[in-house]
Amino acid sequence: MTLNILRIDASVRREGSVSRELNDKVIDRFAAAGDVAVTKRDLITPLPLIDETWIGATFTDPEDRTDEQTRALELSDDLIAELQAADTLVIGLPIYNFAIPSGLKAWIDLVSRRGVTFRYTESGPVGLLTGKRAIVTVASGGTEVGSDIDFATGYLRHALAFIGITDVLFVKADRLAIDAEATLKAAEAAVAELPLAA
């Protein structure tokens, strides 16, 4: 059975990116264990920010949307289709200035759609993309994952849960500026121990 992986790279660096290198290792681990199909979404190519037209389109029933509103949602539809088709997400998360990169925030905005990836109920929002898991490779120079100044991992965990993805594992290569060798060694060991099945 093929494992469908959606790989998301959020680093603004093509070369020398620890999160990209760790994503490679995660993919290699799954590929060595069985058949995988990988869809790549590289956020180094900027995504558009949501705007008034986009918001208006999401709050308009599909049959009532104008041509402009339909066009405004085309990329969002494509990104959501990638998510829907995936069994596992592999997300590279560099921490920039204590938070997630702007490209990853733009992606989250575009895939968080009322009635498509989440819905509101009397007891609160319910995510619609259930039965998936995410493996997040985190890289930071000085921000320790889980510390008071880490505003990235908690936010991403919450954003994924909001759309229904609650099985989230973090592989951390944090505080690289302090002890890169030990940090990378620990991260690679964590990749080697990742469970192959959700």
Side-chain angles (χ1 to χ4, degrees), residues 44-56:
I44 202 168
T45 301
L47 295 174
L49 302 180
I50 60 174
D51 58 15
E52 186 175 11
T53 301
W54 192 93
I55 291 292

Side-chain angles (χ1 to χ4, degrees), residues 1-3 5 25-36 133 192 194-197:
M1 182 174 177
T2 301
L3 178 69
I5 296 175
K25 293 182 184 300
V26 172
I27 299 294
D28 288 346
R29 171 159 170 74
F30 285 104
D35 188 26
V36 299
R133 68 169 167 167
L194 284 172
L196 295 174

Side-chain angles (χ1 to χ4, degrees), residues 15-177:
E15 302 296 331
S17 165
V18 170
S19 64
R20 288 177 186 272
E21 292 171 2
L22 288 175
N23 270 5
D24 288 341
K25 293 182 184 300
V26 172
I27 299 294
D28 288 346
R29 171 159 170 74
F30 285 104
D35 188 26
V36 299
V38 181
T39 299
K40 298 179 181 180
R41 177 60 65 173
D42 196 336
L43 302 181
I44 202 168
T45 301
L47 295 174
L49 302 180
I50 60 174
D51 58 15
E52 186 175 11
T53 301
W54 192 93
I55 291 292
T58 64
F59 283 92
T60 301
D61 290 336
E63 61 271 17
D64 296 328
R65 287 175 187 150
T66 65
D67 290 343
E68 181 185 20
Q69 288 177 324
T70 299
R71 287 193 299 271
L73 294 179
E74 285 178 351
L75 176 59
S76 174
D77 290 338
D78 290 343
L79 296 174
I80 289 170
E82 291 176 351
L83 262 175
Q84 291 170 331
D87 304 306
T88 298
L89 281 67
V90 177
I91 303 174
L93 171 62
I95 298 179
Y96 295 155
N97 299 315
F98 318 109
I100 69 172
S102 58
L104 186 55
K105 178 59 167 65
W107 179 84
I108 290 169
D109 288 342
L110 287 166
V111 300
S112 300
R113 291 257 303 274
R114 180 179 63 92
V116 182
T117 57
F118 73 93
R119 63 184 174 90
Y120 287 116
T121 70
E122 291 182 357
S123 57
V126 174
L128 301 177
L129 299 180
T130 57
K132 304 177 187 297
R133 68 169 167 167
I135 298 168
V136 182
T137 61
V138 186
S140 78
T143 300
E144 184 177 2
V145 169
S147 69
D148 290 342
I149 60 171
D150 170 18
F151 301 102
T153 60
Y155 169 77
L156 184 57
R157 183 187 293 277
H158 181 82
L160 291 172
F162 182 69
I163 60 175
I165 303 169
T166 57
D167 184 358
V168 182
L169 297 175
F170 289 93
V171 174
K172 61 179 184 177
D174 55 359
R175 307 181 78 206
L176 285 161

